[in-house]
């Protein structure tokens, strides 16, 4: 749906005008039974609107100069700082805590402390270099388009993935860490898509001794080989023995994780795939309610990334998953927009004494979805001198959205009638 900057006051005269040429009938589907529930479940939070001026964007007390790349909106900036994954008893917090608890208990360091550190409060404002270049995403790659990202300017943006922080954390000396946060991508809005969502990822890197210490004659093996070549199974810098052991460690770690989340009888399968920052790369799918569902992506980290982070003598793996998708599946939440709700009836369902306690979401309304058929007359469509149409279907869609909010599930043109006279 194309959004247009047409105000409600400018549309009302058109909707009130006498019948002229064409009758449009549109249908809007509102979730949870009407306007009252839409207001209750609005994604608009209490956070104050950031200042977006003619020449700069003010966010969290920092001023960012605007340029031709600036495309972030007040509604998106209002989500920055909400940190749903850190709000106690929020469903995204529960999923994050379940994953964190699993890694804390299953992987213990040599001194009895958790092997993996957790970082869940890093600012989502990153440089373009962090978001793309540090992850070996080449210039001109489709994922860099302004149409897919929220840019503050040509050099600064809202992160599109938590992997934007990988290099800085490895550079700080960390060998094993979990990272969680809100990420931003320009996307449609419906029951399964929203331009702000949350990711969690893990990274584990090994020295030569750490990787081969449990292998017979491991002291004779090496992470790297000279003069190697890249194949579907390995990078040119890595020895085949190292990659196979890294892959085994990665898949074993993630199989244990999904068994912890979905239960010990969960059926899993691995699918080969491609990511710019790992090779080989895989997706993990689980059998859920009769269908295969992708849960996460992972792979052996590109050695060039580790070299640039000052860890060129080590090799490792990384994985990333979406917290919303896991929460929707495990808790039966049908609509991704509900995560932004401040309705007490939604939030109180997740106030549990134990993060491992099962929760099954109960719908907030006893009423079925409400369909509205709306018919109205419009004047003949004429183009203005600058080429813009006087009224388009998207003008009406935007009017519905401005009143009904994000929970209007769908607005579509059903039919069109033109009077013969």
């Amino acid at each position: 749906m194309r959004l247009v900057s047409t105000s409600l006051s400018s549309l009302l005269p058109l909707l009130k005008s006498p019948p002229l040429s064409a009758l449009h009938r549109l249908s809007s589907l509102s979730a949870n039974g009407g306007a009252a529930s839409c207001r209750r479940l609005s994604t608009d939070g209490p956070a104050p609107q950031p200042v977006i001026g003619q020449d700069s964007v003010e966010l969290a007390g920092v001023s960012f100069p605007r340029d031709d790349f600036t495309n972030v909106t007040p509604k998106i900036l209002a989500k920055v700082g909400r940190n749903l994954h850190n709000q106690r008893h929020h469903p995204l917090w529960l999923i994050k805590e379940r994953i964190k608890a699993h890694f804390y208990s299953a992987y213990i360091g040599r001194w009895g402390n958790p092997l993996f550190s957790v970082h869940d409060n890093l600012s989502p404002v990153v440089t373009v270099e962090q978001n793309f270049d540090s992850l070996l995403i080449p210039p001109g790659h489709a994922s860099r388009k302004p149409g897919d990202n929220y840019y503050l300017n040509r050099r600064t943006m809202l992160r599109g993935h938590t992997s934007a922080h990988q290099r800085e954390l490895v550079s700080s000396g960390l060998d094993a860490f979990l990272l969680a946060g809100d990420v931003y991508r320009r996307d449609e809005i419906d029951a399964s898509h929203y331009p702000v969502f949350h990711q969690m990822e893990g990274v584990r890197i090994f020295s030569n001794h750490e990787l081969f210490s449990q292998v017979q004659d491991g002291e004779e093996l090496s992470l790297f080989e000279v003069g190697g070549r890249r194949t579907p199974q390995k990078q040119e810098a890595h020895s085949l023995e190292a990659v196979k052991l890294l892959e085994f460690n990665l898949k074993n770690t993630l199989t244990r994780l999904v068994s912890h989340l979905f239960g010990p009888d969960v059926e899993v399968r691995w699918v080969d795939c491609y990511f710019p920052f790992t090779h080989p790369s895989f997706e993990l799918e689980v059998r859920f309610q009769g269908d295969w569902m992708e849960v996460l992506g992972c792979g052996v980290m590109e050695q060039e990334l580790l070299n640039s982070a000052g860890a060129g003598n080590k090799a490792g793996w990384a994985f990333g998953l979406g917290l919303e998708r896991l929460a929707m599946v495990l808790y039966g939440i049908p609509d991704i927009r509900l995560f932004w709700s401040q309705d007490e009836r939604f939030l109180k369902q997740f106030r549990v004494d134990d993060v491992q306690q099962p929760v099954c979401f109960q719908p907030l309304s006893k009423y079925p979805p409400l369909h509205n058929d709306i018919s109205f007359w419009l004047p003949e469509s004429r183009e203005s001198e600058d080429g813009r149409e006087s009224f388009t279907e998207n003008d009406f869609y935007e009017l519905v959205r401005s009143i009904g909010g994000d929970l209007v599930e769908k607005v579509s043109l059903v039919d069109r009638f033109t009077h013969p006279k």
Side-chain angles (χ1 to χ4, degrees):
M1 178 174 61
R2 180 173 59 87
L3 298 181
V4 293
S5 57
T6 305
S7 67
L8 177 59
S9 59
S10 64
L11 284 175
L12 285 178
L14 288 170
L15 297 180
K16 293 177 180 178
S17 59
L20 289 175
S21 65
L23 175 67
H24 285 54
R25 186 161 66 90
L26 297 102
S27 173
S28 66
L29 171 60
S30 172
N32 293 318
S37 61
C38 284
R39 284 195 298 271
R40 283 195 302 269
L41 296 176
S42 169
T43 58
D44 293 328
Q49 294 290 323
V51 178
I52 300 184
Q54 253 188 335
D55 302 317
S56 65
V57 177
E58 301 282 342
L59 178 61
V62 180
S63 179
F64 300 92
R66 294 186 62 165
D67 58 26
D68 58 329
F69 258 55
T70 305
N71 65 356
V72 71
T73 65
K75 186 168 184 178
I76 293 300
L77 287 183
K79 308 296 185 201
V80 177
R82 290 284 299 276
N83 295 331
L84 301 183
H85 61 289
N86 287 337
Q87 292 184 15
R88 191 170 178 82
H89 297 300
H90 190 278
L92 298 180
W93 176 85
L94 288 179
I95 292 292
K96 182 198 74 172
E97 290 298 310
R98 288 182 65 182
I99 295 172
K100 188 169 83 173
H102 167 72
F103 275 90
Y104 273 7
S105 62
Y107 303 96
I108 305 298
R110 66 175 68 182
W111 308 113
N113 54 312
L115 181 65
F116 284 80
S117 59
V118 177
H119 309 267
D120 56 12
N121 205 26
L122 299 178
S123 171
V125 179
V126 298
T127 64
V128 171
E129 197 273 340
Q130 284 177 289
N131 201 73
F132 297 118
D133 299 295
S134 76
L135 295 166
L136 312 179
I137 300 172
H141 194 274
S143 64
R144 292 177 178 252
K145 291 180 181 178
D148 293 334
N149 301 282
Y150 287 105
Y151 284 91
L152 297 173
N153 52 43
R154 280 183 171 269
R155 302 179 64 180
T156 314
M157 63 188 298
L158 298 178
R159 63 187 170 207
H161 39 214
T162 49
S163 305
H165 303 284
Q166 262 188 30
R167 189 178 66 183
E168 66 190 83
L169 292 177
V170 173
S171 295
S172 72
L174 296 177
D175 286 347
F177 57 86
L178 301 174
L179 171 60
D182 44 334
V183 299
Y184 300 77
R185 295 182 195 169
R186 298 187 75 182
D187 205 348
E188 60 189 288
I189 296 176
D190 58 29
S192 57
H193 298 86
Y194 199 73
V196 189
F197 55 102
H198 298 74
Q199 288 184 335
M200 190 166 189
E201 66 179 75
V203 168
R204 176 80 170 101
I205 59 177
F206 301 83
S207 66
N208 207 88
H209 171 73
E210 288 171 320
L211 187 63
F212 295 117
S213 61
Q214 304 299 318
V215 178
Q216 186 176 2
D217 299 323
E219 64 275 3
E220 300 177 10
L221 300 175
S222 174
L223 292 172
F224 309 108
E225 66 178 16
V226 179
R229 63 188 182 91
R230 179 172 290 243
T231 70
Q233 289 75 40
K234 63 180 282 296
Q235 298 171 39
E236 52 269 46
H238 295 155
S239 69
L240 186 60
E241 296 84 3
V243 171
K244 289 303 179 185
L245 201 50
L246 285 169
E247 183 180 325
F248 173 80
N249 186 279
L250 169 64
K251 290 181 175 180
N252 183 58
T253 300
L254 296 179
T255 300
R256 293 177 70 182
L257 173 62
V258 297
S259 296
H260 169 73
L261 295 173
F262 289 88
D265 298 326
V266 66
E267 188 178 352
V268 305
R269 72 177 183 186
W270 296 93
V271 179
D272 293 339
C273 65
Y274 166 79
F275 301 114
F277 31 86
T278 56
H279 180 78
S281 303
F282 315 96
E283 287 178 344
L284 173 59
E285 298 181 348
V286 300
R287 190 87 168 171
F288 184 76
Q289 296 181 346
D291 293 318
W292 287 105
M293 180 184 70
E294 184 231 323
V295 172
L296 55 84
C298 62
V300 176
M301 297 175 72
E302 283 284 354
Q303 194 59 36
E304 186 180 341
L305 193 158
L306 291 174
N307 293 345
S308 69
N313 62 332
K314 298 181 179 182
W317 51 250
F319 73 87
L321 53 84
L323 292 177
E324 275 88 349
R325 162 165 272 200
L326 280 178
M328 291 174 78
V329 169
L330 294 173
Y331 299 144
I333 299 172
D335 195 309
I336 195 170
R337 291 163 291 194
L338 285 167
F339 291 108
W340 296 93
S341 170
Q342 298 181 72
D343 191 319
E344 183 62 19
R345 296 174 304 161
F346 173 77
L347 297 173
K348 71 179 181 182
Q349 296 186 41
F350 301 95
R351 293 198 182 107
V352 293
D353 296 328
D354 184 353
V355 296
Q356 311 296 347
Q357 183 176 328
V359 178
C360 185
F361 169 73
Q362 299 300 315
L364 305 185
S365 175
K366 64 182 179 181
Y367 302 105
L370 175 64
H371 295 263
N372 292 291
D373 280 349
I374 304 171
S375 301
F376 53 90
W377 291 98
L378 288 178
E380 287 185 285
S381 180
R382 295 186 180 90
E383 287 192 3
S384 61
E385 292 182 359
D386 61 1
R388 290 182 299 177
E389 290 184 282
S390 58
F391 185 84
T392 69
E393 292 145 19
N394 279 332
D395 291 337
F396 184 80
Y397 300 164
E398 184 70 5
L399 173 62
V400 174
R401 292 279 186 199
S402 68
I403 297 173
D406 290 340
L407 285 190
V408 176
E409 179 71 19
K410 184 179 180 183
V411 186
S412 59
L413 179 66
V414 176
D415 56 28
R416 185 194 307 254
F417 170 75
T418 303
H419 194 278
K421 291 185 179 181

